[in-house]
Amino acid sequence: TIDYITIAHTGDAVDFGDLQATSSQIAALSSPTRGIFTAFGPSVQNTMEFITISTLGNAQDFGDLTISTFATGNGYGNSIRGEISGGTTPSAIDDRQSFIFATKGNTTHFGDLLGVRDNHMCMSSPTRCIIAGGTFGGAPSNQIEYVNPTTSGSAVDTNTTFANAPSGSAGLSNAHGGL
């Protein structure tokens, strides 16, 4: 089930439509017009589904991940390019998989994280995407790294850390700061 809320109003969530398959540990991200769901768990899958945000309805096929995975953490990006990174294949990986929101299709390899990471949190502004926490090389991580969603390449270490290493957490941003 996909539910939605109207942010400017209080009240309960309302049914939007359905995903094509029952799943957990989904990576979700959006542009102003499309919502993307991918990295479906609890088993390794390569599917991507999309909805058109302005209309109610069920998710439709978008394309496939280059590397089948789950437990990636939320997706991130800007209004043009979306990306998921890391995840489990069943072992953790360090790949950045990228796609263009306006075109349906498969992801492409877009670079690497600083190391293998899964169950991490992500947040983004139009020019910087933060990847933090989760497990890094199999151990809890307090590391924070970032990528530029407009360029391919490897992630950059922010040289800052969390006081406590969160795993399986979620991140969000209004492009002025992250929570």
Side-chain angles (χ1 to χ4, degrees):
T1 301
I2 304 168
D3 288 338
Y4 77 95
I5 59 168
T6 302
I7 293 174
H9 298 278
T10 60
D12 295 333
V14 178
D15 184 47
F16 185 95
D18 295 320
L19 293 172
Q20 293 180 355
T22 303
S23 21
S24 63
Q25 296 177 309
I26 295 172
L29 59 156
S30 67
S31 72
T33 56
R34 280 195 172 154
I36 304 291
F37 305 94
T38 188
F40 298 99
S43 62
V44 175
Q45 295 185 34
N46 72 341
T47 58
M48 297 173 65
E49 299 178 17
F50 81 96
I51 56 166
T52 301
I53 292 172
S54 63
T55 62
L56 301 178
N58 296 334
Q60 300 173 38
D61 183 55
F62 184 87
D64 294 329
L65 297 173
T66 303
I67 302 170
S68 300
T69 188
F70 72 98
T72 62
N74 274 338
Y76 51 88
N78 57 28
S79 62
I80 298 168
R81 181 179 300 279
E83 189 172 310
I84 65 164
S85 59
T88 300
T89 67
S91 58
I93 60 173
D94 67 352
D95 294 82
R96 296 173 56 199
Q97 297 185 63
S98 179
F99 62 90
I100 304 298
F101 280 108
T103 61
K104 293 185 277 186
N106 300 337
T107 62
T108 58
H109 179 77
F110 208 58
D112 296 311
L113 298 175
L114 295 174
V116 295
R117 183 187 294 272
D118 59 12
N119 291 304
H120 48 282
M121 68 171 75
C122 304
M123 63 196 89
S124 58
S125 75
T127 59
R128 182 169 283 195
C129 304
I130 303 293
I131 301 101
T135 57
F136 191 84
S141 173
N142 64 355
Q143 182 182 38
I144 303 170
E145 57 189 294
Y146 73 90
V147 298
N148 181 330
T150 62
T151 59
S152 62
S154 295
V156 177
D157 192 342
T158 64
N159 294 314
T160 57
T161 59
F162 286 106
N164 297 308
S167 180
S169 298
L172 58 101
S173 172
N174 67 358
H176 297 286
L179 301 171

